[in-house]
Amino acid sequence: MKSLEELKQNLESKMPGVTSVLEEGCLVISKNDWLEVAKFLKSSPLYSFDYLSSVTGVDYPDRLEAVYHLYSIEKKIGPLTVKVRTDRQKGEIPSVTPVWRSAEFQEREAFDLLGIHFTGHPDLRRILMWEGFAFHPLRKDYVAEND
Amino acid sequence: MTTPNTSQVDPNLKSEMQKKGIFVTTINDLYNWGRRSSVWPLQFGLACCAIEMIATACARYDIDRFGAGLFRPSPRQADLMIVAGTVTKKMAPQVVRLYNQMPEPKYCITMGACSISGGPFKNGYNVLKGIDRYIPVDVHLPGCPPRPEALLHGLIKLQEKIDGQVIEKTEWYQKGLKREFPVPEFGPNGLIPPYNPDVFTPGQSRLITTG
Ligand code: SF4
């Protein structure tokens, strides 16, 4: 990977209609394009990002965000940081579990603790809290019980 | 916490006779000696404190010197529950259930700040603020983590407590004893109930005996 700038241009020329923004060394992609972009990043012979090392959820006052770190073991490049944003009320982001299997549990964790709904996830259940827990405890507006 | 040994044999007479090769004891002493010399702990650990408990069981500190080295994999064979580590709310029902499954007489040592009060994670959404909310605790062992020597000290304190118990008065031989502690259930925002009122009163300060 030469530079992020180049990757962005390459991405936009290969996939017309997709717009991405460069922000502090990260690629910000619209959630509607994310699944297609993910497939491209994995299959493109130029990059072949075959390894997703982490999926992190972040809670901001005005949005929820999922941060992905991608590496290519084949090309020995990475990490590429991708951010995908969604709204705080019932935020939805397409799941990349069909693309990278390693996303499965980490998406479940982000769903459990922050309430990001990953559409297309094969098994989106809570992973740390118990079934029947009514909240997403790592959200800033979560109020713990007074015990 | 510890009551003095209530042996009715004059200790001077006892040692005097021992010098002559006569061993005098009471059933009670013999009974307690047997019990306190074979306190078998339940083998489980919950967090970092468990590492220290394992160190206590290994050769350097060797808890087996005090008769408590046989960690049992089944609660049915255990006398002592060492709650070593952070008890999460998700884990608490299992801990209470295990304690219920232990046969009488049974004892409990909370090891470390976490199992006493929640410790460094007290304000976490997922941490139980002390296992004494659900089960009675015999020895509270502070520290983060307590050193192996401290765990040995806690065990010796427990042995002193066992020594002070009287066979005729012990509660597990009384009629109608029912020591089943209700297992908390998962609620929408924590455990229900948040504590067992029979064993825990919120805000009540307890007398701490040290030594
Ligand atoms: S008291 Fe300290 S060492 Fe023990 S489980 Fe808690 S955090 Fe770990």
Side-chain angles (χ1 to χ4, degrees), chain B residues 47-49 85-86 112-114 120-121 143-145:
Chain B
C48 6
C49 273
T86 322
C114 282
F121 314 113
C144 181

Side-chain angles (χ1 to χ4, degrees), chain B residues 183-195:
Chain B
V183 177
E185 302 206 342
F186 294 136
N189 195 10
L191 293 172
I192 299 172
Y195 55 88

Side-chain angles (χ1 to χ4, degrees), chain A residues 128 130 134 137 142-143 145 147, chain B residues 89-90 129 133 187-189:
Chain A
L128 295 168
W130 52 86
Y142 169 71
V143 185
E145 65 171 338
D147 58 349
Chain B
K89 287 181 183 166
K90 210 172 172 184
K129 294 166 183 63
R133 286 170 170 246
N189 195 10

Side-chain angles (χ1 to χ4, degrees), chain B residues 46-50 52 84-87 111-116 118-121 141-146:
Chain B
L46 297 175
C48 6
C49 273
E52 224 55 9
T86 322
V87 188
M111 183 179 181
C114 282
S115 55
I116 294 175
F121 314 113
L141 201 62
C144 181

Side-chain angles (χ1 to χ4, degrees), chain A residues 6-143:
Chain A
E6 204 182 290
L7 185 142
K8 171 181 147 69
Q9 271 157 17
N10 203 334
L11 187 76
E12 279 165 12
S13 64
K14 291 268 169 47
M15 304 183 69
V18 171
T19 48
S20 55
V21 186
L22 281 187
E23 214 182 87
E24 295 167 354
C26 311
L27 203 61
V28 182
I29 290 173
S30 139
K31 64 177 177 180
N32 300 324
D33 303 331
W34 171 224
L35 191 59
E36 288 309 307
V37 172
K39 283 179 184 154
F40 169 79
L41 288 174
K42 185 175 183 191
S43 59
S44 146
L46 202 55
Y47 306 115
S48 96
F49 282 108
D50 45 17
Y51 176 50
L52 173 73
S53 83
S54 79
V55 181
T56 317
V58 192
D59 180 25
Y60 287 105
D62 59 334
R63 62 175 191 272
L64 290 172
E65 195 172 89
V67 185
Y68 302 78
H69 289 95
L70 295 167
Y71 290 81
S72 169
I73 290 175
E74 195 190 319
K75 300 260 185 253
K76 293 194 172 43
I77 51 175
L80 169 69
T81 313
V82 179
K83 290 181 174 177
V84 183
R85 288 169 183 167
T86 185
D87 55 299
R88 284 188 99 243
Q89 304 311 320
K90 179 101 180 126
E92 287 185 347
I93 289 176
S95 166
V96 290
T97 307
V99 184
W100 295 284
R101 192 64 210 280
S102 59
E104 184 178 347
F105 277 16
Q106 304 194 49
E107 287 183 342
R108 276 178 67 187
E109 185 184 347
F111 162 70
D112 186 359
L113 301 180
L114 288 157
I116 304 172
H117 294 259
F118 290 92
T119 49
H121 190 287
D123 182 25
L124 196 65
R125 285 176 295 133
R126 286 185 177 273
I127 190 168
L128 295 168
M129 305 307 288
W130 52 86
E131 286 303 323
F133 193 79
F135 305 92
H136 300 291
L138 284 196
R139 286 215 190 186
K140 298 280 186 288
D141 54 4
Y142 169 71
V143 185

